[in-house]
Amino acid sequence: MKPSSYRSGLKNVRGLGAAHEGTHHFWLQRMTALALIPLTVWFIINIVTKLLGAERFQIAQWFESPITLLLMASFLVALFWHAKLGLQTIIEDYVHCECTKLTLLIGSSAIIYLLGAGSLLAIAHLHFFGI
């Protein structure tokens, strides 16, 4: 008998599991977490050094910078995307009723997208129109 005959048929399986997206989801979570590290440090440093105790016009001036807009938008996109992926994982792992699972997945995604879009619109408004 050849050594290859001892192998199971698992080596021939195509896809990434039942949902066919497990590895992609795993890497997206890790990449958003990795992106959030420097963005969160930048955000906290700016809160402490520039925005803590600042007047409204100083906050508006901070948002006028294109670099601030880009970094803040990147922070928000990574934050909400990471939150969506994390909630999806929790719901898929711990909710066993398919109807409830589907409802929670749709509802949590909708809430995350609305909060993300609202946040991006708010910082765009601050950048282009001020307070």
Side-chain angles (χ1 to χ4, degrees):
M1 191 180 281
K2 295 195 278 183
S4 64
S5 64
Y6 293 111
R7 294 183 182 174
S8 70
L10 223 59
K11 69 181 180 98
N12 298 323
V13 173
R14 301 284 186 246
L16 303 168
H20 303 289
E21 63 179 45
T23 305
H24 180 69
H25 189 274
F26 174 85
W27 280 109
L28 282 176
Q29 268 189 314
R30 287 355 178 235
M31 291 297 108
T32 55
L34 194 60
L36 279 170
I37 293 169
L39 290 169
T40 303
V41 169
W42 166 82
F43 184 66
I44 291 171
I45 288 171
N46 276 280
I47 290 288
V48 171
T49 61
K50 296 179 183 173
L51 302 178
L52 200 61
E55 298 292 328
R56 287 173 55 129
F57 73 92
Q58 293 169 318
I59 295 171
Q61 285 178 335
W62 183 71
F63 272 106
E64 288 176 358
S65 167
I67 293 171
T68 299
L69 178 69
L70 178 68
L71 289 172
M72 193 65 178
S74 299
F75 175 69
L76 290 170
V77 167
L79 181 74
F80 284 110
W81 196 2
H82 187 75
K84 181 196 174 299
L85 293 169
L87 281 171
Q88 179 182 347
T89 300
I90 291 168
I91 292 167
E92 288 173 348
D93 288 349
Y94 296 108
V95 177
H96 301 293
C97 175
E98 290 301 318
C99 182
T100 306
K101 184 186 295 189
L102 183 62
T103 303
L104 287 172
L105 285 171
I106 292 170
S108 66
S109 292
I111 290 169
I112 291 289
Y113 288 136
L114 285 172
L115 290 172
S119 299
L120 290 173
L121 286 173
I123 65 166
H125 184 273
L126 284 171
H127 177 74
F128 293 111
F129 304 111
I131 293 179

